[in-house]
Amino acid sequence: MTSLAIRNDRLAGLARAGLALTAAGAVIAVTNFFAAVIPIDLGTMPRFESMVVVMHAGAGVLAFGLFLLSIGRPAIALPALSHPLVLVALAVCVWSAFLAPFAEFPLSSLLGAPTSGEGALMYAQFAFLMAAAMVLRRFRLGAWVAGIGVGVGALVPALVSAGFARPEFLPEYCAMLAPPAVVLAIVSCRRLPPRTAAAFGLVAGLPALILSNNNTLWCASVIALSFVALLAWVKRGASPAAQARHRRFAALLVPFALAGAMLGMAALGALFEGHGKFVNSSTARLYVDRIALEAIWDRPLSLL
């Protein structure tokens, strides 16, 4: 066997190992919610910190997989790693890490708070998770990973409703499972007709939606379905070029719709403070907004 053939075999082996590790890390990441449900204490905030640790582990595994894949099959890995969304997340990570020594709690700025894990390291996770998704969607493995995520979205609410979750785990937490379950279900069914895939997505999000009975999730679901219905009505009979323009326009509207929903809930809290469960939830968000705005006003450089 020539040296070139040996090198090609080694590169192929690295590519296979990298793809397998990327898929394994993605599976660990999408199943991290189990760490909050099972009654195993970890850290100072067991309901949340265990999820953060599992997410760190999953992102670390898939990051190493992407590294191996970038050596074995650079044509697959490098475009994902150089995607603008990935680079933006990495830039936020680098900037946050640079400023961490000047923060009041440097380690927390790097590793994140126990309740959320939001710190410099989290943005590195976002970057590698997005890159892994871009890589895996090109292979059948991606559909399997998405299917496992859908299973988590259905199994966790079932465990909670059956009483197998830790006592302090509230059903409202399941609201966080509904959006990713819908997206992952659509991704796993992307070979099916769009309407069928959309139907699977709606069914996948129902367990978390019903069990959590979360007002914010119900409002977001109504807004999202109305938005999708409007887009489908606009696209009827349009040419492929016009449909592409509609999709781009819809993507631009999403952040404004979310911001409008949050402002609307804050306005409800201000107008009807203390009247009813839904408005009480809006009032709580209003208080959070006020605290954040006052802190920014007092210390504008905290935005950095």
Side-chain angles (χ1 to χ4, degrees):
M1 182 178 290
T2 64
S3 59
L4 180 60
I6 294 175
R7 181 176 181 275
N8 289 337
D9 284 344
R10 288 177 178 174
L11 291 178
L14 284 175
R16 287 192 294 269
L19 185 61
L21 286 173
T22 302
V27 169
I28 295 172
V30 299
T31 57
N32 80 91
F33 218 90
F34 282 120
V37 177
I38 57 177
I40 296 178
D41 291 341
L42 180 64
T44 57
M45 303 288 291
R47 285 183 293 176
F48 307 102
E49 199 163 357
S50 53
M51 293 178 63
V52 175
V53 172
V54 173
M55 183 63 77
H56 284 339
V61 171
L62 64 85
F64 184 63
L66 289 170
F67 170 72
L68 295 180
L69 194 60
S70 66
I71 299 173
R73 293 281 296 276
I76 293 177
L78 293 183
L81 290 170
S82 59
H83 191 279
L85 289 176
V86 175
L87 295 178
V88 167
L90 285 176
V92 174
C93 170
V94 172
W95 179 249
S96 300
F98 174 75
L99 293 177
F102 307 100
E104 187 175 359
F105 301 102
L107 281 179
S108 294
S109 297
L110 285 173
L111 302 178
T115 53
S116 64
E118 187 171 356
L121 193 58
M122 174 174 281
Y123 290 96
Q125 289 180 12
F126 289 161
F128 291 123
L129 286 167
M130 287 188 288
M134 295 175 196
V135 168
L136 291 174
R137 69 190 298 269
R138 303 179 60 173
F139 300 91
R140 189 172 295 179
L141 271 175
W144 281 101
V145 173
I148 292 172
V150 174
V152 172
L155 186 56
V156 168
L159 291 174
V160 175
S161 62
F164 289 108
R166 62 168 66 245
E168 64 271 23
F169 186 92
L170 302 178
E172 286 82 357
Y173 296 155
C174 290
M176 293 181 286
L177 286 169
V182 172
V183 174
L184 290 172
I186 294 174
V187 170
S188 63
C189 300
R190 65 177 183 269
R191 297 183 184 276
L192 299 177
R195 291 184 180 180
T196 306
F200 273 111
L202 291 176
V203 171
L206 282 178
L209 178 65
I210 294 172
L211 177 66
S212 67
N213 196 27
N214 185 281
N215 293 321
T216 303
L217 182 59
W218 279 105
C219 291
S221 301
V222 171
I223 293 172
L225 289 175
S226 302
F227 194 75
V228 171
L230 177 63
L231 184 61
W233 179 76
V234 171
K235 286 173 60 178
R236 286 190 310 170
S239 64
Q243 292 186 13
R245 288 196 301 271
H246 294 155
R247 285 194 295 269
R248 288 193 292 269
F249 180 69
L252 290 173
L253 282 180
V254 168
F256 293 102
L258 293 174
M262 294 302 295
L263 290 173
M265 294 193 71
L268 281 175
L271 290 173
F272 304 102
E273 184 171 347
H275 298 282
K277 178 184 175 184
F278 175 78
V279 180
N280 284 341
S281 178
S282 302
T283 304
R285 285 163 175 77
L286 177 65
Y287 292 156
V288 172
D289 294 340
R290 286 175 179 170
I291 293 171
L293 289 174
E294 289 174 2
I296 293 171
W297 181 263
D298 293 335
R299 298 177 59 189
L301 292 180
S302 62
L303 290 173
L304 298 176

